[in-house]
Amino acid sequence: MGPYRLACALSIVGLLCAPGAVRAQLATPDKAGGAGTLPATIPIFPLQDVMLFPNVARPLHIFEPRYRAMVADALKGNRIIGMVLLRAGYEAEYEGRPPIYSIGCAGRITDVEELPDGRYSIVLRGLVKFRVISEDQSRPYRLARVEALPEVPDSAQRAALRRQRPRLTELLAKVAAPDSEPPPPALPDEDLVNGLAQYLEVDPTERQELLELTDLVSRSQALIDLLEERVRPPR
C-alpha cells in the first residue's frame, strides 16, 4: 500500500468510526452485537471487491436496476442490507446469481440520496456478521436466509485488544505518509480493528479471511502480522 492510500484509509477510519459521526444517526447498539436487530431474511448485495465490517460505515453508489429496487424496498422497511463477497469466476454468471462467500456483514442505511435518474448514494453502517443459510428466489435482487454471528468481546478479549493497540498503531505510523494523523485515541479498539480491516488495501480474499475470523483479537493480530510483513526489510 502506498503512503497516500494508507493516509486516506486512516482518515476514513477516523471519520467513519468516530463516536458522534455516523453512529449518532443510529439507535444504541444492542448488547448482542447486533444479533437482536437482524431479521431471519435480508437482501444481500454481492460485490467483487467491496466489503463491510461491524460498526464501520461504507458509502455506496447503487446504479443497477435490481439493486436500486433492493434499496427502495429496504427504505420502506428496516433499512437493512447484507454485503457479501463474490467468489472468483463470478463474471460468467454476474447477471444471475453467481457464487458468493457464505460469511458477510449486515448493515443499516443511515444516509441516503436518491438521484434524479433513480440511482442512490447511500451510507451503510455495519451491524453484525452473518452466515447465509439459503437463498430466496422471489425477488429480482438476492434475498438470503441468514444466521447472525455476533462478535461481543468479553473482558479478557477487551484487555487483549488494548494490549495489541500500541503495536498496531506503531506499525501504521511506519507505513503511513509522514503528515498523516494517527487514529484518534477516543476511537474504541474494536472500531479501530474493524475500520482498518475494512479500509486497508488488501486483496479481497485476504479481507474475506479477516472478516471470517471469529473474534476481534484474532483479527487485530492478523492485521499486525500483515503490517509487520509490509515493514520487514527485504532480504
Side-chain angles (χ1 to χ4, degrees), residues 86-167:
L86 290 164
R87 288 188 175 273
Y90 68 88
E91 296 89 349
E93 300 179 60
Y94 182 74
E95 298 301 327
R97 286 173 163 76
I100 57 173
Y101 287 89
S102 63
I103 305 296
C105 182
R108 179 175 281 119
I109 299 171
T110 61
D111 194 17
V112 59
E113 178 185 7
E114 184 174 4
L115 303 175
D117 61 0
R119 293 174 296 137
Y120 288 95
S121 291
I122 67 173
V123 175
L124 196 65
R125 187 172 192 88
L127 288 174
V128 64
K129 286 169 46 180
F130 62 81
R131 176 182 289 108
V132 173
I133 305 302
S134 61
E135 288 199 48
D136 180 333
Q137 309 286 329
S138 64
R139 304 286 174 85
Y141 53 85
R142 298 175 75 162
L143 284 173
R145 185 168 158 267
V146 298
E147 170 192 16
L149 302 173
E151 295 179 339
V152 183
D154 58 25
S155 57
Q157 291 172 324
R158 290 183 186 279
L161 287 171
R162 177 55 56 183
R163 291 193 298 271
Q164 289 173 329
R165 182 169 181 143
R167 181 56 177 160

Side-chain angles (χ1 to χ4, degrees), residues 3-24:
Y4 174 75
R5 285 198 168 191
L6 183 53
C8 290
L10 290 175
S11 297
I12 291 170
V13 168
L15 173 64
L16 297 183
C17 297
V22 181
R23 182 180 305 173

Side-chain angles (χ1 to χ4, degrees), residues 5 20 29 39 41 52 54 58 62 68 71 108 110 115 146 158 180 190 192 210 212:
R5 285 198 168 191
T41 301
L52 184 69
R58 165 70 73 180
I62 312 297
R68 283 154 49 178
V71 170
R108 179 175 281 119
T110 61
L115 303 175
V146 298
R158 290 183 186 279
S180 63
E190 303 97 298
L192 172 62
L210 289 170
E212 292 186 6

Side-chain angles (χ1 to χ4, degrees), residues 13 16 24 45-46 48 61 70 110 145 192 196 199 214-215:
V13 168
L16 297 183
F45 186 28
Q48 70 269 31
H61 181 64
M70 174 192 72
T110 61
R145 185 168 158 267
L192 172 62
L196 292 173
Y199 282 109
T214 57
D215 62 83

